Amino acid sequence: MALLEVRDLQIHFRTATAVNRAVDGLSFDIEAGEALAVVGESGCGKSVTSMSILGLLPTPPGKVAGQINFRGRNLLEASERQMRKLRGAEISMIFQEPMTSLNPVFTIGQQIGESVRLHENASRAQAHDRAIEMLRLVGIPSPERRVDEYPHQLSGGMRQRAMIAIALACNPALLVADEPTTALDVTIQAQILDLMQDLRSKVGSAVMLITHDLGVVAEFAERVLVMYAGRKVEEAKVGDLFRTPRHPYTQGLLNAVPKLGSSLTTAEPVRLAEIPGRVPDLSKPLSGCAFADRCPRAQEVCRRIDPALEAKAPGHFAACHFSPREVSAA
Amino acid sequence: MTAPINQTDAEFAAAPDRPQILTPPPQRSRRMALLIEHPTMWIGLILLMLVTLMGIFAPWIATADPSALNPAFRVKPPSADAWFGTDMLGRDIFSRTVYGARVSLVVGAGVAICASVVGLAIGLLSGFIRWADNIVMRIMDGLMSIPAILLAIALMTLMRGGSVFNVILAITIAEIPRVARLTRSVVLSVREQPYVEAGKACGTSTLGIIRRHIMPNTMAPLTVQATYICASAMITEAILSFIGAGMPSSVPSWGNIMAEGRALWQVKPSIVFFPALFLSITVLAVNLLGDGLRDAVDPRLAKQV
Amino acid sequence: MTDAPHLIEVRNLVKRFPIRGGLFSRSVKAVHAVSDVSFHIARGETLSLVGESGCGKSTVGKCLAQLIPLTEGRITLEGKNIAGLGRAEMQPVRKRMNVVFQDPFSSLNPRMTVEELIAEPLRSHRMARTRTERRTRVGDLLEKVGLPRETMVRMPHQFSGGQRQRICIARALASEPDIIICDEAVSALDVSVQAQIINLLMDLQKDLGLALLFISHDLAVVEHMSDRIAVMYLGRIMEIADRDAIFRHPRHPYTKALLSAVPLPDPSAKRDRVVLTGDVPSPIDPPSGCFFRTRCPMATDRCASDVPALRDMGGGQMSACHFAEEV
């Protein structure tokens, strides 16, 4: 049994005029200790998926259906009280914007200690010691001093480290990181990615990394899940995905990113491969494949029959009628 | 890559169904949606229109001349002849109340318009010119530290003599600081918007920036504010007239009618009751309209992604 | 360097933002946003400014576009000084340069139609006098950026982020400028749309002979777009050179670290990373000597005392490092 099993997850939102199908029929697993990346462009449903795992979506206007089984228990049926016990202790989350997710009126130490005291019944002194220990672990210099500082006294990179310290304070089994480095500069991003990789091996948490940055995926993840318009279009080991992307959307994405060092080979400027058009409106019903309108390979059948996710190679799944299959159904 | 011609639909693997988990909201026309989402606005608007019609068609609605004295028929309770009764001079209260709507509406609308225009100008000025800002805003602070009603009384005293114009002027001066502050705050936030910077980069002059970028953004909050000012001006006018500092007593205004009934209100409450009721309804209507407008123009609600 | 003046020449640009405090709003300290920056842009050329947040790259762009006044220095357009001009004298300069900003959502006034938005520079530069003339121009511009003419009657909220950025580009092109300043113009866009906009900018540049000042933090995009690149750190240019020189053999430890920090979309590429420790120092109180020395793996005592000047390393590659030869 996987640590987290998501089955047929649907997250819909009702607006004044329509129902927005933000996530529509998503299934995936995360094994214990694994690093899974979820990539996709804005509006593909990757962030709401992570919010739904922690039970943080406002319902209504949202509605979540399907199953999110964590250690075999369906979180969608858990009470708010049970979820509170789980959040921070077994499943933690890191957000994109460290400044807004830290509470400005409490010290860093208090915020790290809070979850320790809440979930492990630690005393104030124990919590304080644990906070210092965590700050040292995430590489914040002079943690004895920093522990009593407020978020605004830390730099952006330091704040993200503090966020990670809070998230990891109770050794969670699953860490959900929603664009954890997007707001950071490249040199700081490199630090944070190294830190997360390092901590993953030390603490042994599984990490679900939500990002739009294919570079970050390649550096960090073991397995990748590509989302488009609320659906999973491809899933594979990171090496396989980058070597042989099997869904036209993934191929398009990989070709559209300018790559460091790639333009130097030619004197004339190269055009980037574009994906024409724009993402479909999720508040209107989609027939067939969600990517059909932008897909270079689309045929008439793609607009009629919604392609199922099929194993195209061992451990490599794609939802495309015309992506060649290397194995006969694994 | 093309599909083999002989491939049938059955050979394509179809994804499992994606069931509907939320019932779609009912499809309504925009007007219906506006009505259903902001019912208070419509209630307010309808009430206000009724009062306005009453004011406009007062000569036809009134059952008697509002100033006609009838000494033989004084202080009568409501009856079939005089629906709201008569006052100490025998004047018909129903007719006076109907005519009183005119004063309230004119003063309310007049103050709302004048205060908005002048306040907008002052707000734009202090939002754009740094050195003027300090001076103008301190004056506004000073004006705001005096309760509006006291300020209006003082101004009425200075102007010696009530007339619709003087009442509007006095209340307008008392209300200007609120508009000026609101406008200034909008200006200060809008001028930091990247689209204003983009406008500057396009070579648009400062006046053009104000006219094309800043002013349109002040309109929505200003309209909402204007309705509240209208309501508060109606109350202020009634108070001024009630204490004898407002409209001349010959003009039937709701404040005047109530003032005349003041001495007798324990014995004959009807003299005070009816104008008070109409005043309350009108002010309520304007406030409802303002609340509805505010909800309708509030970007957080209007966005509805 | 040729004798003819460059399109844009920036000499010793300094921008300080005073921090006011105390009883009478005296300026007590200053943020040193840009210190002693010089560069030039030739006709039809793309110069990129790269660096991390707070390095002053956007401030340089804003000073150049005269959106904020500069503290010291000289900016010339074809040899004529344009710094500190009055409004009237500035108008013809504004016609020749325009800006595309980062956020396509907030840089278009939500209450104006696309036609009004794109016509704004036409109006202020009195380029199309009649309404019909303006309409034709706006329609042409929309087509130039890949949007149908008919969309001019719509409002900005009816467009996606990428389409809005196309509208911004159309507006920037309206006054037929010689140079466009792109301030993180593609940073807020999704990958697939970003590729569309980058291609559009490059096509337009080729067709119209535009010069671009491309301000970005994304080195891969910069590599793709630029002819020359200036790397900034804490308000100073650390290195400025042709694209190939910067990416093939950087001559400044900061450039090197920046390049090695970019995550590559290729899991098989394993590199030796120069991971910089610590954070960027405060621009209110920058370190003595070389601004980068507090994080530099090569720093010595000399770096704390002497400010390194930009030195020519050959082939026009300029590096501000005492040990540029050893990098």
Side-chain angles (χ1 to χ4, degrees):
Chain A
M1 187 179 63
L3 178 70
L4 184 82
E5 293 175 346
V6 174
R7 290 288 171 273
D8 304 315
L9 182 70
Q10 287 183 295
I11 305 171
H12 294 185
F13 290 92
R14 202 210 302 259
T15 66
T17 51
V19 169
N20 198 327
R21 296 177 160 230
V23 173
D24 217 6
L26 177 69
S27 303
F28 66 92
D29 289 349
I30 299 180
E31 302 290 338
E34 187 189 29
L36 174 79
V38 180
V39 270
E41 299 178 284
S42 42
C44 74
K46 55 191 194 301
S47 281
V48 277
T49 304
S50 66
M51 301 281 272
S52 72
I53 294 172
L54 280 101
L56 293 174
L57 282 179
T59 49
K63 181 161 173 144
V64 186
Q67 290 179 21
I68 299 176
N69 297 320
F70 181 72
R71 296 191 202 278
R73 201 169 99 220
N74 188 356
L75 298 185
L76 294 181
E77 286 160 7
S79 67
E80 177 53 31
R81 203 185 137 85
Q82 290 167 319
M83 283 309 288
R84 262 203 303 272
K85 265 181 126 167
L86 211 68
R87 281 199 288 260
E90 297 202 67
I91 306 179
S92 291
M93 187 151 183
I94 313 175
F95 297 92
Q96 173 174 349
E97 196 36 77
M99 194 59 212
T100 48
S101 15
L102 288 169
N103 190 334
V105 299
F106 292 107
T107 64
I108 297 297
Q110 283 167 334
Q111 296 186 54
I112 300 175
E114 189 193 342
S115 68
V116 181
R117 289 181 62 191
L118 208 68
H119 296 297
E120 295 179 8
N121 289 320
S123 72
R124 202 174 283 266
Q126 283 169 321
H128 193 260
D129 290 346
R130 173 73 76 83
I132 295 177
E133 186 192 319
M134 289 310 298
L135 288 179
R136 187 170 292 126
L137 188 69
V138 297
I140 290 184
S142 49
E144 294 82 2
R145 188 164 57 83
R146 294 289 185 180
V147 74
D148 294 321
E149 288 190 346
Y150 290 88
H152 70 91
Q153 292 170 288
L154 304 181
S155 68
M158 289 286 192
R159 275 185 220 130
Q160 198 57 292
R161 283 172 191 265
M163 275 293 299
I164 295 175
I166 295 171
L168 293 181
C170 294
N171 296 332
L174 174 64
L175 176 66
V176 179
D178 189 354
E179 304 269 8
T181 59
T182 305
L184 305 174
D185 281 317
V186 268
T187 59
I188 310 294
Q189 167 172 291
Q191 294 173 6
I192 297 291
L193 284 179
D194 281 2
L195 171 72
M196 281 175 56
Q197 200 69 276
D198 185 38
L199 289 177
R200 199 167 68 84
S201 55
K202 274 189 202 151
V203 182
S205 305
V207 178
M208 177 177 166
L209 175 77
I210 317 277
T211 183
H212 69 279
D213 188 330
L214 290 162
V216 171
V217 173
E219 299 239 327
F220 188 80
E222 294 166 341
R223 214 150 50 83
V224 192
L225 195 154
V226 183
M227 284 185 76
Y228 183 76
R231 303 164 182 198
K232 175 164 80 171
V233 294
E234 185 162 1
E235 182 181 343
K237 291 210 177 61
V238 74
D240 295 342
L241 187 101
F242 283 91
R243 204 175 316 114
T244 43
R246 287 175 191 273
H247 194 282
Y249 176 62
T250 318
Q251 292 163 354
L253 269 189
L254 283 171
N255 290 333
V257 207
K259 283 165 222 60
L260 213 56
S262 65
S263 344
L264 296 178
T265 44
T266 49
E268 270 297 290
V270 238
R271 281 180 71 85
L272 290 169
E274 310 179 356
I275 304 178
R278 54 190 283 197
V279 287
D281 183 352
L282 296 181
S283 61
K284 301 208 172 81
L286 284 173
S287 91
C289 175
F291 190 58
D293 283 343
R294 305 174 76 185
C295 181
R297 285 195 218 162
Q299 310 259 330
E300 176 271 335
V301 65
C302 299
R303 297 201 164 76
R304 272 189 299 118
I305 301 176
D306 186 5
L309 200 74
E310 294 177 295
K312 304 286 186 184
H316 198 145
F317 303 85
C320 178
H321 290 312
F322 297 108
S323 167
R325 206 173 306 181
E326 259 173 39
V327 286
S328 53
Chain B
M1 191 158 74
T2 50
I5 294 151
N6 55 359
Q7 209 165 355
T8 60
D9 277 8
E11 285 167 59
F12 291 103
D17 273 352
R18 306 174 199 272
Q20 195 173 337
I21 55 170
L22 276 175
T23 49
Q27 295 298 315
R28 301 190 192 103
S29 70
R30 274 187 70 131
R31 203 171 303 160
M32 271 305 276
L34 210 63
L35 179 63
I36 288 170
E37 279 162 41
H38 308 290
T40 57
M41 187 167 85
W42 297 100
I43 296 171
L45 198 64
I46 290 166
L47 278 175
L48 191 62
M49 272 164 64
L50 288 176
V51 176
T52 313
L53 288 176
M54 187 176 88
I56 293 172
F57 297 107
W60 291 273
I61 297 170
T63 50
D65 182 343
S67 335
L69 306 182
N70 191 348
F73 201 62
R74 288 186 306 174
V75 213
K76 293 288 179 226
S79 66
D81 288 332
W83 295 347
F84 294 173
T86 57
D87 66 7
M88 290 197 296
L89 301 171
R91 292 176 295 195
D92 180 46
I93 294 176
F94 172 72
S95 306
R96 288 179 71 74
T97 307
V98 169
Y99 273 91
R102 290 182 164 185
V103 174
S104 268
L105 290 170
V106 167
V107 170
V111 171
I113 292 168
C114 297
S116 297
V117 171
V118 180
L120 175 70
I122 294 177
L124 287 175
L125 182 81
S126 66
F128 257 91
I129 305 173
R130 252 226 161 80
W131 60 264
D133 186 33
N134 267 325
I135 302 167
V136 171
M137 278 301 128
R138 291 302 81 76
I139 295 173
M140 293 296 133
D141 286 345
L143 281 178
M144 278 186 103
S145 64
I146 308 167
I149 183 72
L150 285 185
L151 189 59
I153 293 171
L155 289 167
M156 285 308 290
T157 322
L158 279 178
M159 287 184 285
R160 295 161 200 277
S163 70
V164 179
F165 178 78
N166 284 358
V167 169
I168 290 178
L169 186 65
I171 304 176
T172 298
I173 291 174
E175 295 284 356
I176 282 172
R178 277 160 69 179
V179 187
R181 285 188 150 239
L182 177 78
T183 314
R184 175 177 173 269
S185 71
V186 174
V187 172
L188 290 183
S189 68
V190 173
R191 62 179 288 182
E192 298 303 322
Q193 290 290 323
Y195 61 76
V196 172
E197 203 163 45
K200 267 188 228 163
C202 288
T204 309
S205 63
T206 309
L207 268 179
I209 297 270
I210 292 178
R211 202 159 51 87
R212 282 209 283 281
H213 296 289
I214 311 261
M215 287 261 278
N217 281 293
T218 59
M219 284 305 138
L222 210 61
T223 314
V224 175
Q225 181 79 344
T227 59
Y228 294 138
I229 286 177
C230 175
S232 110
M234 286 174 173
I235 294 178
T236 311
E237 180 275 326
I239 295 174
L240 285 178
S241 299
F242 187 77
I243 61 175
M247 302 298 292
S249 53
S250 58
V251 179
S253 92
W254 291 335
N256 278 345
I257 309 172
M258 285 191 273
E260 282 145 17
R262 181 167 42 181
L264 288 173
W265 91 268
Q266 275 168 324
V267 237
K268 290 281 180 272
S270 59
I271 306 179
V272 176
F273 175 76
F274 288 105
L277 180 71
F278 273 77
L279 177 67
S280 310
I281 289 173
T282 313
V283 169
L284 177 72
V286 176
N287 277 330
L288 285 178
L289 179 66
D291 285 349
L293 276 178
R294 186 200 55 209
D295 293 345
V297 300
D298 190 16
R300 276 168 303 171
L301 287 173
K303 229 181 186 176
Q304 275 167 345
V305 183
Chain C
M1 263 191 223
T2 50
D3 291 322
H6 291 294
L7 179 66
I8 293 283
E9 180 114 32
V10 174
R11 282 280 154 264
N12 311 100
L13 176 66
V14 176
K15 177 68 192 176
R16 285 188 292 266
F17 293 102
I19 302 172
R20 297 188 184 278
L23 197 52
F24 299 103
S25 305
R26 288 168 295 134
S27 46
V28 282
K29 277 179 186 168
V31 177
H32 300 263
V34 177
S35 316
D36 198 21
V37 162
S38 303
F39 60 85
H40 67 87
I41 304 171
R43 235 165 225 297
E45 176 190 54
T46 303
L47 174 74
S48 288
L49 292 179
V50 282
E52 300 176 284
S53 47
C55 73
K57 56 190 191 300
S58 285
T59 311
V60 171
K62 284 185 178 167
C63 286
L64 187 56
Q66 310 285 318
L67 292 172
I68 50 174
L70 45 78
T71 310
E72 284 165 36
R74 217 177 127 74
I75 299 174
T76 56
L77 177 71
E78 288 184 330
K80 285 189 283 290
N81 180 43
I82 59 167
L85 291 186
R87 236 199 70 78
E89 302 151 295
M90 196 54 216
Q91 205 64 1
V93 178
R94 285 213 197 283
K95 186 174 176 302
R96 302 186 57 187
M97 58 168 112
N98 212 328
V99 190
V100 177
F101 294 92
Q102 172 171 10
D103 184 359
F105 289 86
S106 57
S107 53
L108 294 175
N109 188 339
R111 287 169 197 277
M112 286 162 87
T113 64
V114 171
E115 184 190 344
E116 288 168 333
L117 284 164
I118 298 179
E120 197 172 359
L122 297 177
R123 270 173 203 272
S124 42
H125 298 301
R126 306 215 157 71
M127 292 180 67
R129 297 200 172 251
T130 64
R131 176 112 203 246
T132 27
E133 221 178 305
R134 269 206 295 272
R135 288 216 135 161
T136 326
R137 275 290 288 149
V138 170
D140 293 348
L141 285 161
L142 280 172
E143 277 178 358
K144 207 177 261 177
V145 298
L147 290 172
R149 299 184 94 88
E150 305 80 67
T151 53
M152 72 169 80
V153 295
R154 293 207 244 157
M155 306 295 282
H157 71 257
Q158 293 169 289
F159 295 87
S160 69
Q163 291 173 317
R164 281 162 176 250
Q165 202 60 303
R166 286 176 194 266
I167 298 171
C168 292
I169 293 172
R171 175 174 60 184
L173 290 174
S175 62
E176 293 162 7
D178 297 310
I179 176 167
I180 292 187
I181 299 163
C182 299
D183 189 355
E184 299 274 12
V186 299
S187 308
L189 305 173
D190 273 318
V191 177
S192 66
V193 181
Q194 176 176 296
Q196 296 172 4
I197 300 297
I198 290 175
N199 284 342
L200 173 68
L201 281 171
M202 291 175 74
D203 291 346
L204 289 170
Q205 175 170 38
K206 203 162 64 191
D207 296 347
L208 307 173
L210 278 174
L212 292 181
L213 177 66
F214 193 82
I215 299 167
S216 177
H217 68 275
D218 189 330
L219 284 152
V221 172
V222 162
E223 181 201 299
H224 195 83
M225 296 280 303
S226 324
D227 297 311
R228 283 187 309 125
I229 292 160
V231 180
M232 288 186 71
Y233 184 80
L234 215 60
R236 277 193 191 154
I237 291 182
M238 295 286 119
E239 184 170 7
I240 180 165
D242 288 348
R243 178 187 70 177
D244 286 22
I246 290 267
F247 284 94
R248 283 184 205 276
H249 42 83
R251 287 283 183 224
H252 196 284
Y254 179 63
T255 315
K256 212 173 165 186
L258 209 53
L259 284 172
S260 80
V262 180
L264 291 181
D266 179 6
S268 53
K270 288 289 166 232
R271 297 171 294 167
D272 288 330
R273 213 185 233 167
V274 191
V275 173
L276 291 179
T277 51
D279 289 304
V280 184
S282 160
I284 299 171
D285 192 16
S288 65
C290 174
F291 283 0
F292 183 57
R293 71 175 165 85
T294 53
R295 299 172 79 195
C296 182
M298 299 167 66
T300 64
D301 289 348
R302 188 180 163 205
C303 302
S305 52
D306 299 356
V307 180
L310 275 171
R311 290 184 295 140
D312 197 334
M313 307 302 298
Q317 183 167 16
M318 313 275 279
S319 167
C321 179
H322 294 308
F323 308 104
E325 288 82 0
E326 293 155 38
V327 176

Short mmCIF file of all heavy atoms in Angstrom, two decimals, chain C residues 99 107-108 148 190 208 284 323 326:
data_model
loop_
_atom_site.label_atom_id
_atom_site.label_comp_id
_atom_site.label_asym_id
_atom_site.label_seq_id
_atom_site.Cartn_x
_atom_site.Cartn_y
_atom_site.Cartn_z
N VAL C 99 7.94 51.03 -22.84
CA VAL C 99 8.23 49.99 -21.86
C VAL C 99 7.15 48.91 -21.91
O VAL C 99 5.97 49.21 -22.10
CB VAL C 99 8.26 50.59 -20.42
CG1 VAL C 99 8.80 49.58 -19.43
CG2 VAL C 99 9.09 51.86 -20.39
N SER C 107 -0.82 46.08 -15.76
CA SER C 107 -0.31 47.18 -16.58
C SER C 107 -1.29 47.61 -17.69
O SER C 107 -0.95 48.44 -18.52
CB SER C 107 1.07 46.86 -17.16
OG SER C 107 1.07 45.66 -17.83
N LEU C 108 -2.48 47.02 -17.68
CA LEU C 108 -3.52 47.52 -18.58
C LEU C 108 -4.68 48.02 -17.73
O LEU C 108 -5.19 47.28 -16.89
CB LEU C 108 -4.02 46.39 -19.49
CG LEU C 108 -3.02 45.82 -20.50
CD1 LEU C 108 -3.63 44.64 -21.24
CD2 LEU C 108 -2.61 46.89 -21.49
N PRO C 148 -6.45 39.33 -33.64
CA PRO C 148 -7.37 39.81 -34.67
C PRO C 148 -7.77 41.27 -34.45
O PRO C 148 -7.91 41.70 -33.30
CB PRO C 148 -8.59 38.90 -34.54
CG PRO C 148 -8.27 37.86 -33.54
CD PRO C 148 -7.02 38.24 -32.83
N ASP C 190 3.19 31.66 -18.35
CA ASP C 190 3.43 30.23 -18.35
C ASP C 190 4.36 29.84 -19.49
O ASP C 190 4.42 30.52 -20.51
CB ASP C 190 2.10 29.49 -18.53
CG ASP C 190 1.42 29.25 -17.20
OD1 ASP C 190 2.13 28.90 -16.25
OD2 ASP C 190 0.20 29.42 -17.11
N LEU C 208 11.39 45.20 -37.43
CA LEU C 208 11.34 46.65 -37.23
C LEU C 208 12.69 47.24 -36.88
O LEU C 208 12.80 48.45 -36.71
CB LEU C 208 10.32 46.99 -36.12
CG LEU C 208 8.92 46.41 -36.30
CD1 LEU C 208 8.09 46.67 -35.06
CD2 LEU C 208 8.25 47.02 -37.52
N ILE C 284 21.13 49.32 1.68
CA ILE C 284 21.23 50.54 2.49
C ILE C 284 22.65 50.68 3.01
O ILE C 284 23.17 51.77 3.15
CB ILE C 284 20.23 50.47 3.68
CG1 ILE C 284 18.81 50.36 3.14
CG2 ILE C 284 20.37 51.67 4.59
CD1 ILE C 284 17.79 50.08 4.19
N PHE C 323 40.29 39.36 -9.72
CA PHE C 323 40.90 38.09 -10.11
C PHE C 323 40.23 37.49 -11.33
O PHE C 323 40.12 36.28 -11.46
CB PHE C 323 40.86 37.11 -8.93
CG PHE C 323 41.44 37.71 -7.69
CD1 PHE C 323 40.62 38.16 -6.66
CD2 PHE C 323 42.81 37.85 -7.56
CE1 PHE C 323 41.16 38.73 -5.53
CE2 PHE C 323 43.36 38.42 -6.42
CZ PHE C 323 42.54 38.87 -5.40
N GLU C 326 41.57 34.57 -13.17
CA GLU C 326 41.59 33.25 -12.55
C GLU C 326 40.23 32.56 -12.53
O GLU C 326 40.13 31.40 -12.17
CB GLU C 326 42.11 33.37 -11.10
CG GLU C 326 43.57 33.79 -11.06
CD GLU C 326 43.90 34.48 -9.74
OE1 GLU C 326 43.38 34.05 -8.70
OE2 GLU C 326 44.66 35.47 -9.77
#
